[in-house]
Amino acid sequence: MISPLPHIDAMAPYALATIGDGHMVSMAQNESAFPPSPYAIAAGQSQLSAATAYPDPDWTALRLAIAETHDVTPETILCGTGSMELIGCLIHAFAGPGRDVLGTEYGYAFVATATAQAQAKYLCAREVDLTVNIDRVLDQVTNTTRIVFICNPGNPTGTMIANSEILRLRDALPEDTLLVVDQAYGEFGDGDQDPRQIFALADRGNTVILRTFSKAYALAGLRAGWGVFPPAIGAQLRKLLNPNNISVVTQAMAAAAIRDQSHLQKIVADTATIRDRFAANCRELGLFVPVSKTNFILIRFASAAAAQHADSHLRTAGFQMRGMGGYGLDDCLRATICADEIMDSCFTVLKEACR
Ligand SMILES: *Cc1c(COP(=O)(O)O)cnc(C)c1O
């Protein structure tokens, strides 16, 4: 028998949403309700015949597009096959035995998985009212905490904390503790607070900010994420990234997508309108829905049994939401916002299930 490393053997496989048979409406993975920019599609098609060559290992055109959009220096940007690759490499570079990772109660599940891969200990700070609480995070920091992960806006809660709270956390953390701000849903909250305040934290040398093309840019299938990294941290990460990570087609599509900010703004605005109406309808049914700044909402039912009842009702009708048992929220379902008509028919089924 070939024996695996004990810490790998002890890991459970990462639990993605159970995908239906293709006839279900997918509301389980926070994919976009809307198609990507037509310029992205055109850019991808025009690059298909360039696939003979390896991709640009420095993502030059993509970095420039990101840098110009967000007013950051291109050299500080690194790109990954989804932000998952960047999260995994950060943990492998800076955490390990005796070097702990601290997340929050409802933080992104993949962080705990990557921590286990690195044989590091994962700890989490309680949240308050389904919202990250900086005082509780600070309470959990010890002298073995090496990385703190804050997801803002949060997944699966959808809630967002003020930039000033992130700044307060950074000021209070030890200088040699790496802070990672995961803004996978950042574009949905950018209208509320100035994102440059957070990107500027990379200048301090100990903070990384992550974003992705998977959510608001509607390109989850491409696998492209990016982040702003202090140079010394970026240099370490480069050693762990696959040197040819992002395909020729993906780089071209992502660059075209981020240059089309008017398309992005329309997706963000339309998603918010549909989301807020669906959330208001759910609240009228007596369900608890925290205020979301993302493309999904968390729906809390009266009990785990009520959530399960609604879930099976919804599945029978072809709507696949995400059960939240893995997050200790077994009385909740998370619903990705889809097109208007879908949300309307979904709500009809939900209403029926809640009677
Ligand atoms: C979707 C998501 C990501 C990243 O996904 P990629 O597709 O790998 O870029 C990261 N963090 C959170 C919280 C997410 O929801």
Side-chain angles (χ1 to χ4, degrees):
M1 243 268 281
I2 314 274
S3 61
L5 291 170
H7 73 283
I8 302 295
D9 198 30
M11 284 178 65
Y14 187 68
L16 286 169
T18 39
I19 304 299
D21 54 7
H23 300 291
M24 304 272 278
V25 176
S26 170
M27 309 177 86
Q29 299 215 93
N30 300 340
E31 293 143 335
S32 175
F34 302 99
S37 161
Y39 294 106
I41 307 282
Q45 282 167 340
S46 79
Q47 287 299 307
L48 288 173
S49 55
T52 306
Y54 279 105
D56 176 358
D58 293 317
W59 327 283
T60 311
L62 174 55
R63 273 170 139 182
L64 193 64
I66 296 168
E68 289 180 0
T69 304
H70 286 287
D71 200 15
V72 293
T73 322
E75 291 70 31
T76 61
I77 296 167
L78 296 186
C79 302
T81 48
S83 44
M84 286 174 110
E85 186 188 21
L86 300 170
I87 291 170
C89 291
L90 277 167
I91 290 172
H92 279 278
F94 295 99
R99 294 165 153 253
D100 308 343
V101 176
L102 175 62
T104 66
E105 190 172 7
Y106 308 118
Y108 188 36
F110 181 69
V111 173
T113 299
T115 303
Q117 290 171 352
Q119 268 186 289
K121 193 158 70 175
Y122 181 73
L123 298 160
C124 65
R126 300 301 293 265
E127 297 196 12
V128 176
D129 297 334
L130 297 167
T131 307
V132 169
N133 183 284
I134 295 305
D135 291 317
R136 300 223 174 170
V137 172
L138 287 169
D139 280 346
Q140 293 292 315
V141 174
T142 69
N143 57 9
T144 52
T145 306
R146 286 294 171 273
I147 314 182
V148 175
F149 271 90
I150 300 291
C151 187
N152 196 45
N155 174 17
T157 58
T159 57
M160 184 163 73
I161 62 170
N163 283 351
S164 58
E165 284 294 282
I166 307 263
L167 301 185
R168 183 165 76 83
L169 171 65
R170 181 64 274 176
D171 287 339
L173 282 175
E175 288 289 314
D176 61 355
T177 300
L178 174 63
L179 172 62
V180 181
V181 187
D182 179 353
Q183 297 193 315
Y185 302 92
E187 291 80 8
F188 295 101
D190 281 349
D192 287 30
Q193 338 192 43
D194 186 354
R196 286 172 301 186
Q197 281 181 306
I198 300 301
F199 289 133
L201 282 175
D203 295 341
R204 300 202 194 182
N206 52 15
T207 305
V208 167
I209 301 89
L210 300 178
R211 292 218 170 189
T212 181
F213 287 95
S214 296
K215 309 289 164 54
Y217 287 101
L219 295 170
L222 280 188
R223 311 308 301 127
W226 59 277
V228 186
F229 292 77
I233 291 176
Q236 299 304 323
L237 215 73
R238 279 270 187 167
K239 301 175 190 172
L240 292 169
L241 289 173
N242 176 340
N244 278 302
N245 61 351
I246 307 188
S247 80
V248 169
V249 170
T250 295
Q251 291 194 36
M253 290 183 75
I258 203 164
R259 289 203 184 275
D260 190 355
Q261 285 295 302
S262 66
H263 185 82
L264 174 79
Q265 292 315 328
K266 186 161 165 39
I267 287 187
V268 166
D270 291 352
T271 302
T273 304
I274 301 169
R275 175 195 68 208
D276 293 346
R277 200 160 58 83
F278 184 66
N281 285 341
C282 290
R283 291 185 191 111
E284 256 174 55
L285 289 183
L287 302 168
F288 178 75
V289 179
V291 173
S292 168
K293 296 290 175 185
T294 63
N295 67 339
F296 61 85
I297 63 169
L298 187 71
I299 308 171
R300 178 167 254 170
F301 294 80
S303 64
Q308 226 165 53
H309 174 76
D311 196 27
S312 59
H313 230 77
L314 287 158
R315 277 171 195 267
T316 305
F319 299 101
Q320 186 176 30
M321 292 187 182
R322 181 85 176 250
M324 289 286 115
Y327 286 90
L329 295 168
D330 54 6
D331 55 350
C332 296
L333 296 175
R334 190 190 66 192
T336 306
I337 301 307
C338 299
D340 232 351
E341 321 79 69
I342 295 175
M343 296 321 282
D344 283 347
S345 34
C346 175
F347 182 70
T348 307
V349 176
L350 189 61
K351 194 167 161 183
E352 192 64 33
C354 287
R355 281 218 299 213

